[in-house]
Amino acid sequence: MKIKSFVAKQHIIQKMIKRVGFALLLLFAGIFSAIAQPFSKTVSSPNNDVQATLMLNEKGEASYKVRYKGKEVVGASRLGLQLRGHNLSTGLKRVGDGSSTEKENWKPVWGEVAEISNHYKGLQLHLISSDGLRFSIVFRAYNDGVGFRYEFPKQENDTQIVIQDEWTEFQMTADHTAWWAPCDWDSNEHTYTQSKLSAIDATKHLTDIEPFVQHITNVHAVQTPVTMQAENGYCMSIAEAALVDYGAMHLELDRATRRFKTFVIPTADSTVKSINQLPFVSPWRAILLSPDAAGILSNRLILNLNEPCKIKGDLSWIKPQKYVGIWWELHVGKSDWHYRDKNGKPTGRHGANTENVKRYIDFAAKNGFAGVLVEGWFEGWEDWFNVMRPEIFEFAKPYPDFDMAELSRYAKEKGVKIIIHNETGSAVLSYERQMDTAYDYYLKNGFNAIKTGYVGFIQPKGEWHDGQWMINHYNEVLRRTAEKKIMVCAHEPVRPSGLHRTWPNFMASEAARGMEFNAWSKGNDPSHELTLIFTRLLGGPMDYTPGIFQVELNQFDKAKKDRVRTTVAKQLALYVTLYSPLQMAADLPENYEKRPDVFQFIRDVPTDWSDTKILNAAVGDFVTIARRQKGADDWFIGSMTDETPRKFKVKLDFLQSGKTYEATIYEDGKGAHYLDNPYPVSIRKIKVRKGDRLNINLVAGGGCAVSVKAI
Ligand code: NOJ
Ligand code: CA
């Protein structure tokens, strides 16, 4: 017994020693792993103007900072994601790092320029979390900015990640002036406010969006892209690129520290931002940098961060174009979208009737426009604001007075195509159920362009316009339409992030406050378009729908006080300044027919360019842009101002030497003013050569458009 008990005791002691030893080992290992090796590495852009430093401190926390032309422009800022079941906050360990260089030129299918240079230096930091999850932080330093993202490879123990928050921060170094719109989970159709960072506050911001499509939870948070200018002039815009399978990026400002933190719109489960199957790469976070406002407009960082074109084969079905449509007449009250009254009887005011559509087709054909948008042509508009009805629209069932077969024949005869409107009323599942059948029906009738729309609350309720579920929907529409060779213009989607490089059938989107607001709200002030091009348009073209000649909108209702706060000459300038491969001549044919001399500019202006020169620019104030028509030697110039009249002398040094051009100048006429005398446009022709100077006189709220044709 004694011996037995001695042996037993010995055994227990040995066991204890083993356990303590193991515990000590664990303790040392713990201490060792907590003290991750600090790391810091800088990647410089090809010309060294931009330097991004990626850091890991002794606690294993990741951060970065950015310098531009020798100045810190983003101070030390946190990186990382909060994942369910993993700790990426501290204890990160470096398992490797790498560097890369890329220098290539690529040609967009359509665009502001014929060729884009993608030239950067890259830095990759490969990490492992204390609980064994592997991921990388990947940086690219361009001469005009920085892009970075998180990359998760396949893992042994996880097939997906659940992202609960993104910690990415942007530490601003001073109280910059910012041009911002509030972070609204459900609408991008706000005005912009210009203020110091420290004064960002959505409660002091003009908003006249119906409350039912508005969801603002943090009044100090803003949309991206948000553009800023520092005291000493340099300009910076924070944006995202390649928004795929993730919620849209907004920025919450801590006003005391001037630090932006990324805020991703959540899914229907408010504790989850996104669920991603592995492997997964996050959208790029992009910091656009420029010594001045003009450089922000010629910055191609967002496009460069997107993937090359995924549509294979012949792309000639993708056609930049101008279009007219049964659209403005619906907004100004000449006709209606719906066909029947409450009792089911035809009202006689239905806009999309066969005869009226033919009138627009004739007008388009006569003026060389490729498209006619038709809204309100299919069943369902009587009760479309009723969010309780999940199946609102029938996308392949025309109203009785819209003869699809006849219009298909007529359009073909005239060489024009109908752009088919697909308002979904945000009944997204209903649309998804009908998409394939509807698209085949349009194609069968010879029409290969659609305009989607997402007015109202998303159904299923709980999802948001800018959340992961909807992002996946918008992208699925692009993929499916690309497969069927259909072009897309999307209204009320998320703001674009350069995906038109990958899906060039994605012609344009609204995703901001367009012309329509002038018809039924407080409208857009004269600085609105001048802010849009420096913010929202950085991510992609906008279907703004310019070209309103009848500026006062009481044509069909004398009591209507609404107006567009513009001169007519400024409406012409928008075709050059607000870039889109899809440009509407939005006013009614009868209004254009009254002013054929002024309308001539809209007939002439192209929608695809081989070169773009920013001749002058100030965010929210003024801009002058010259663009060269693709495949021709003709140039078009657009110049516009806010409420302040301005005079410019611009040098035409971009013209080819040895050639003479005829410039037709459409400018604000005598006494023009956007408030009380918007209509006068004076037109003059002069001969110009390379190096000549052009005088541009802009009245308050005015503009100038010039066609410069080689002779
Ligand atoms: C809002 C869109 O922006 C506009 O273009 C369209 O006419 C209406 N919704 C109706 O779908
Ligand atoms: Ca809209």
Side-chain angles (χ1 to χ4, degrees):
M1 278 299 286
K2 266 186 181 172
I3 291 172
K4 260 190 182 173
S5 82
F6 175 76
V7 172
K9 261 186 193 162
Q10 280 278 77
H11 189 70
I12 289 166
I13 289 166
Q14 269 174 7
K15 251 187 170 177
M16 272 174 66
I17 290 171
K18 261 191 195 164
R19 274 190 192 156
V20 171
F22 189 61
L24 279 174
L25 206 76
L26 275 182
L27 190 71
F28 280 127
I31 291 168
F32 185 71
S33 69
I35 308 172
Q37 289 278 321
F39 170 84
S40 166
K41 199 163 181 178
T42 297
V43 58
S44 296
S45 68
N47 71 357
N48 287 324
D49 271 0
V50 173
Q51 282 153 351
T53 304
L54 189 45
M55 298 164 293
L56 199 61
N57 66 12
E58 61 287 346
K59 289 189 197 141
E61 298 163 339
S63 61
Y64 76 104
K65 58 188 177 189
V66 178
R67 292 174 78 77
Y68 180 52
K69 293 184 186 281
K71 264 194 204 79
E72 188 161 275
V73 291
V74 179
S77 301
R78 187 179 186 193
L79 289 167
L81 298 163
Q82 182 181 322
L83 301 188
R84 184 180 285 167
H86 287 287
N87 175 15
L88 268 52
S89 173
T90 56
L92 298 177
K93 276 204 280 183
R94 177 170 65 100
V95 289
D97 60 275
S99 56
S100 57
T101 308
E102 176 71 66
K103 188 176 183 182
E104 50 149 13
N105 284 352
W106 60 277
K107 291 188 166 72
V109 176
W110 42 259
E112 295 177 83
V113 291
E115 199 166 83
I116 293 174
S117 148
N118 178 30
H119 191 189
Y120 67 84
K121 296 230 168 113
L123 168 63
Q124 305 90 37
L125 175 58
H126 309 298
L127 297 162
I128 189 160
S129 69
S130 53
D131 45 25
L133 196 79
R134 286 173 293 115
F135 71 106
S136 305
I137 304 175
V138 172
F139 267 72
R140 290 184 185 177
Y142 286 79
N143 291 339
D144 56 4
V146 172
F148 60 92
R149 70 176 179 187
Y150 304 97
E151 300 186 353
F152 292 84
K154 271 195 156 180
Q155 318 272 332
E156 266 153 38
N157 300 323
D158 300 79
T159 54
Q160 65 171 33
I161 49 173
V162 178
I163 300 177
Q164 297 192 296
D165 198 8
E166 179 175 334
W167 296 315
T168 310
E169 291 180 344
F170 302 85
Q171 175 65 59
M172 299 296 96
T173 52
D175 196 8
H176 303 316
T177 301
W179 289 264
W180 57 272
C183 158
D184 184 331
W185 303 21
D186 246 349
S187 176
N188 293 304
E189 302 190 349
H190 285 270
T191 54
Y192 287 86
T193 297
Q194 174 185 338
S195 78
K196 288 283 183 196
L197 286 175
S198 54
I200 287 178
D201 182 348
T203 59
K204 302 202 176 74
H205 166 92
L206 164 77
T207 180
D208 49 12
I209 296 177
E210 293 89 325
F212 76 95
V213 286
Q214 190 173 317
H215 191 88
I216 295 175
T217 48
N218 177 342
V219 297
H220 306 305
V222 299
Q223 293 181 354
T224 59
V226 58
T227 298
M228 289 162 273
Q229 189 146 24
E231 282 291 319
N232 60 6
Y234 78 84
C235 249
M236 166 165 39
S237 192
I238 303 177
E240 67 180 326
L243 173 55
V244 176
D245 204 8
Y246 204 75
M249 179 199 200
H250 294 77
L251 294 168
E252 286 181 327
L253 180 72
D254 175 16
R255 291 191 299 173
T257 57
R258 294 189 294 268
R259 190 165 53 231
F260 281 120
K261 180 196 164 288
T262 298
F263 174 77
V264 176
I265 302 298
T267 63
D269 172 352
S270 59
T271 66
V272 173
K273 299 299 173 94
S274 89
I275 299 180
N276 298 99
Q277 303 310 308
L278 299 178
F280 167 71
V281 295
S282 76
W284 290 97
R285 277 57 190 105
I287 303 166
L288 284 60
L289 294 163
S290 160
D292 52 25
I296 286 289
L297 298 182
S298 45
N299 194 302
R300 306 280 170 244
L301 178 61
I302 294 178
L303 275 178
N304 274 329
L305 291 171
N306 273 271
E307 306 240 318
C309 177
K310 283 198 175 155
I311 311 178
K312 299 285 169 257
D314 170 36
L315 299 181
S316 61
W317 55 274
I318 301 175
K319 280 202 171 61
Q321 60 183 272
K322 284 172 287 186
Y323 71 99
V324 289
I326 297 185
W327 181 73
W328 194 236
E329 66 168 77
L330 302 163
H331 286 267
V332 296
K334 181 182 178 188
S335 64
D336 296 328
W337 281 271
H338 62 276
Y339 171 71
R340 299 177 191 86
D341 64 17
K342 281 201 185 89
N343 305 315
K345 292 225 168 60
T347 62
R349 278 180 49 86
H350 181 225
N353 64 73
T354 307
E355 194 191 330
N356 200 25
V357 178
K358 282 188 175 177
R359 188 170 71 92
Y360 278 84
I361 291 177
D362 289 343
F363 183 77
K366 187 170 151 208
N367 293 293
F369 296 167
V372 173
L373 166 70
V374 182
E375 296 206 355
W377 66 274
F378 55 88
E379 290 283 352
W381 288 86
E382 281 68 28
D383 194 21
W384 74 289
F385 266 88
N386 184 347
V387 291
M388 300 311 287
R389 283 181 49 200
E391 299 288 340
I392 301 172
F393 291 119
E394 295 183 69
F395 298 96
K397 191 168 176 207
Y399 274 132
D401 62 344
F402 181 92
D403 185 341
M404 182 60 112
E406 171 57 9
L407 286 168
S408 160
R409 186 200 65 76
Y410 193 76
K412 193 168 178 202
E413 181 185 306
K414 297 279 173 170
V416 166
K417 290 189 179 190
I418 293 181
I419 299 173
I420 300 276
H421 187 220
N422 280 181
E423 173 60 64
T424 66
S426 286
V428 179
L429 288 177
S430 166
Y431 184 54
E432 289 186 348
R433 274 194 286 276
Q434 299 180 58
M435 251 155 50
D436 276 339
T437 335
Y439 296 163
D440 289 342
Y441 172 62
Y442 310 152
L443 288 173
K444 199 184 89 199
N445 284 287
F447 305 135
N448 68 340
I450 58 165
K451 166 181 171 179
T452 54
Y454 301 92
V455 169
F457 274 135
I458 303 296
Q459 296 171 42
K461 192 150 170 31
E463 297 293 352
W464 309 97
H465 278 79
D466 281 4
Q468 183 191 24
W469 192 78
M470 279 306 288
I471 304 308
N472 287 343
H473 168 79
Y474 307 132
N475 292 346
E476 178 65 5
V477 169
L478 294 180
R479 202 186 57 74
R480 298 258 280 267
T481 48
E483 239 170 55
K484 292 184 184 283
K485 304 194 172 166
I486 293 174
M487 293 175 274
V488 179
C489 170
H491 274 233
E492 296 87 28
V494 70
R495 299 169 306 283
S497 59
L499 281 170
H500 53 290
R501 174 178 180 189
T502 314
W503 302 107
N505 64 321
F506 182 22
M507 307 302 285
S509 61
E510 185 189 42
R513 189 178 167 104
M515 179 66 77
E516 61 179 0
F517 272 78
N518 293 307
W520 34 252
S521 79
K522 286 178 193 144
N524 305 336
D525 68 43
S527 66
H528 181 61
E529 296 101 342
L530 282 152
T531 310
L532 274 178
I533 61 174
F534 294 91
T535 50
R536 146 72 183 80
L537 265 82
L538 299 174
M542 178 172 180
D543 186 39
Y544 185 74
T545 66
I548 302 304
F549 281 15
Q550 181 58 49
V551 170
E552 292 151 298
L553 305 177
N554 58 359
Q555 218 174 341
F556 304 99
D557 172 2
K558 288 285 159 258
K560 203 168 159 67
K561 291 271 181 298
D562 307 286
R563 63 183 293 140
V564 188
R565 281 181 276 163
T566 179
T567 65
V568 171
K570 183 173 181 179
Q571 291 297 302
L572 301 182
L574 289 170
Y575 287 88
V576 183
T577 54
L578 274 180
Y579 168 68
S580 176
L582 200 62
Q583 285 283 22
M584 187 175 204
D587 210 339
L588 313 180
E590 52 267 43
N591 291 337
Y592 290 135
E593 272 155 359
K594 285 182 212 150
R595 303 193 73 174
D597 53 340
V598 181
F599 185 54
Q600 188 59 40
F601 182 81
I602 301 182
R603 295 178 51 149
D604 289 346
V605 69
T607 49
D608 198 12
W609 311 96
S610 61
D611 203 1
T612 287
K613 306 276 181 206
I614 312 300
L615 305 182
N616 59 36
V619 188
D621 295 341
F622 62 83
V623 75
T624 307
I625 300 178
R627 302 192 199 267
R628 181 179 174 172
Q629 179 167 4
K630 200 177 251 176
D633 195 21
D634 298 343
W635 287 78
F636 290 78
I637 301 171
S639 183
M640 60 189 203
T641 181
D642 57 1
E643 309 75 8
T644 310
R646 297 174 207 270
K647 284 189 198 312
F648 303 124
K649 229 182 218 324
V650 297
K651 203 168 174 199
L652 306 177
D653 52 4
F654 45 84
L655 299 179
Q656 247 186 51
S657 57
K659 277 202 170 176
T660 304
Y661 296 77
E662 181 179 70
T664 309
I665 302 161
Y666 302 76
E667 58 196 347
D668 294 317
K670 203 160 183 272
H673 189 287
Y674 79 102
L675 282 179
D676 52 24
N677 195 16
Y679 298 108
V681 177
S682 90
I683 304 172
R684 64 191 164 98
K685 285 185 192 294
I686 55 170
K687 299 268 185 306
V688 294
R689 290 172 73 81
K690 181 182 169 83
D692 286 355
R693 283 174 190 276
L694 182 73
N695 290 322
I696 294 178
N697 297 322
L698 307 174
V699 303
C704 175
V706 189
S707 64
V708 187
K709 296 188 180 180
I711 45 176

